[in-house]
Amino acid sequence: MRQTVKICNMTGLDSSLKELETAKLVILMAPPSVFKDCVQRMGELIPTVTNIGVCGQGYYELKDHPEDIILIGYYECEAVADVIADVTKPILSVQRMKEHMNAIQANAKNTVCLDFTTGNDSVIVTTLNACLSERDIALIGATAWDNKVSFNGRLYENACVYALIKNTNGTIRAYMENIYVVDENMPSFVATKIDEASQKIITLDGKSAASVYQEALGIRESDIESQTFKNPIGREVGEDIYIISIKSHCPDGSLECYKRANHMDTLTILRLGDYDAIIKDTVSKIKRDMPSIKGVFSVNCILRYLMFNDMHYMGDYLGNMNQLGNHVGLVGCGEHFRTQHVNQTMTCLVFD
């Protein structure tokens, strides 16, 4: 399997698309100001090439590309894509996904699913896994910056697009990286009252969620929103921890989050670990697992991205990941990994 990356602006879009007209799959990442125009040109210039797109910004090798259009072409693979046109009713698409998996004879060793959604992440992830789990196929994905995704040259709102990608010459694997650790001195809390629709944690152990968070960290009320960079909430699922980022502190004492918690979830407050060492360990592990890497596609949470920029670390991060080879990725507003919707996380697919 092979990936080819094109970086351009609207002036160079047509020539870049023409160079990808023999690809099996093309992925578009573009900022809100030009996304609609990019999708239209894809429909006109590469109408027979399977393609999906997401409104957002990306990075490639050693550079961040906040204003650029990024096109990724995949070769030496099989790919089938589709759209869930209404994210509130994803169950209607389950049968089609099963048909797609059968069509390419997808299996866990050589196939992953990549999705981009405009929202309703938890339900989307659960629905996709109703199919993917039958063959233990890994899911990675992201939430769009704007309410826009694309499929085969058409723009969709309130939708999810996905591609099943099968490496016909090797394997493909999914990875997740968490740079936050459990603080042994921090107790666990139970989400005793939540509002699923607004993704609010109202009470922890029967007390105002904001006051519990504030008191546990010894911070001022005004610091709650920014503190999530260092101390996000962690949801314990068996031995794994999945991150929930705090969006805002509400007047009623609840915490509005970027990911939904569930009633009676066991939660804790994480702390930022030695992120440089953790990232280098991730790179080393991937190299050990896959010594002949041909390419990497990653999704980094926007909160990780903002924190790395504030710490002047983004260049070092891209340098570390570039050791794996051809590395391109998206800054997402939420991440998907297998059965979970997560925040402040990196997920990636790696193929040889």
Side-chain angles (χ1 to χ4, degrees):
M1 186 167 160
R2 177 168 57 89
Q3 72 180 10
T4 297
V5 180
K6 302 292 181 183
I7 310 290
C8 63
N9 54 26
M10 286 302 298
T11 303
L13 178 62
D14 286 9
S15 60
S16 293
L17 286 171
K18 279 293 186 182
E19 291 177 24
L20 298 173
E21 62 185 358
T22 61
K24 297 295 185 180
L25 171 70
V26 172
I27 294 173
L28 163 71
M29 298 182 288
S33 58
V34 297
F35 186 75
K36 182 178 180 181
D37 293 334
C38 291
V39 172
Q40 180 179 339
R41 293 305 288 161
M42 291 179 79
E44 294 168 350
L45 293 181
I46 54 170
T48 62
V49 180
T50 300
N51 61 81
I52 60 172
V54 60
C55 187
Q57 75 175 59
Y59 44 82
Y60 177 51
E61 292 188 333
L62 301 177
K63 284 192 66 179
D64 185 17
H65 291 275
E67 302 297 329
D68 293 323
I69 300 161
I70 300 181
L71 298 164
I72 311 164
Y74 287 97
Y75 303 81
E76 299 166 23
C77 64
E78 289 184 63
V80 58
D82 210 336
V83 58
I84 299 172
D86 184 348
V87 289
T88 67
K89 300 175 182 177
I91 196 66
L92 300 178
S93 303
V94 166
Q95 185 58 39
R96 285 209 314 272
M97 174 173 260
K98 289 182 178 180
E99 292 168 359
H100 294 326
M101 292 195 307
N102 289 333
I104 63 171
Q105 297 182 317
N107 67 71
K109 290 184 178 180
N110 61 20
T111 308
V112 298
C113 182
L114 172 66
D115 84 286
F116 303 128
T117 186
T118 61
N120 203 23
D121 296 70
S122 295
V123 176
I124 288 291
V125 168
T126 299
T127 303
L128 294 178
N129 273 284
C131 301
L132 299 173
S133 61
E134 292 180 2
R135 304 191 185 195
D136 194 29
I137 294 172
L139 171 73
I140 80 160
T143 314
W145 282 41
D146 203 357
N147 185 28
K148 295 180 180 67
V149 290
S150 68
F151 167 61
N152 283 357
R154 289 187 60 187
L155 187 145
Y156 292 85
E157 298 183 349
N158 304 311
C160 171
V161 295
Y162 66 84
L164 288 159
I165 308 169
K166 179 180 178 180
N167 185 354
T168 55
N169 292 326
T171 60
I172 187 166
R173 297 191 185 189
Y175 293 87
M176 179 181 78
E177 178 182 80
N178 172 12
I179 58 174
Y180 297 88
V181 298
V182 176
D183 189 333
E184 294 180 355
N185 298 317
M186 183 64 66
S188 294
F189 310 96
V190 175
T192 45
K193 188 176 182 181
I194 63 160
D195 182 338
E196 288 189 2
S198 59
Q199 299 189 158
K200 289 181 181 179
I201 303 172
I202 299 174
T203 61
L204 293 169
D205 293 341
K207 301 177 183 178
S208 156
S211 65
V212 170
Y213 183 82
Q214 180 185 345
E215 291 169 10
L217 295 172
I219 60 173
R220 297 173 301 179
E221 185 178 298
S222 58
D223 293 331
I224 289 176
E225 283 87 351
S226 60
Q227 196 69 29
T228 198
F229 287 98
K230 294 181 179 179
N231 298 105
I233 293 170
R235 177 173 175 247
E236 300 176 34
V237 181
E239 296 182 357
D240 295 322
I241 296 289
Y242 297 97
I243 298 171
I244 300 174
S245 301
I246 297 171
K247 184 177 183 179
S248 65
H249 166 223
C250 303
D252 63 358
S254 63
L255 296 174
E256 183 182 5
C257 301
Y258 286 103
K259 166 182 162 49
R260 186 183 72 192
N262 301 308
H263 179 61
M264 300 306 290
D265 271 352
T266 300
L267 306 175
T268 189
I269 300 172
L270 305 173
R271 64 174 174 83
L272 182 63
D274 184 344
Y275 53 90
D276 186 61
I278 292 169
I279 290 163
K280 287 175 179 175
D281 284 347
T282 298
V283 170
S284 295
K285 173 177 170 49
I286 294 173
K287 283 181 176 180
R288 289 194 302 271
D289 290 348
M290 305 182 72
S292 301
I293 296 169
K294 295 289 182 63
V296 180
F297 178 88
S298 68
V299 176
N300 267 279
C301 177
I302 189 170
L303 295 180
R304 269 178 55 122
Y305 170 79
L306 292 173
M307 184 179 73
F308 285 168
N309 275 324
D310 286 346
M311 294 177 168
H312 306 288
Y313 182 74
M314 192 63 192
D316 291 335
Y317 170 74
L318 292 175
N320 284 325
M321 289 295 289
N322 200 54
Q323 294 177 34
L324 295 171
N326 190 292
H327 171 232
V328 63
L330 171 73
V331 179
C333 294
E335 302 76 59
H336 305 162
F337 183 74
R338 291 193 176 270
T339 62
Q340 298 293 321
H341 169 216
V342 293
N343 300 142
Q344 283 177 250
T345 301
M346 185 278 286
T347 64
C348 66
L349 61 86
V350 185
F351 53 88
D352 57 16

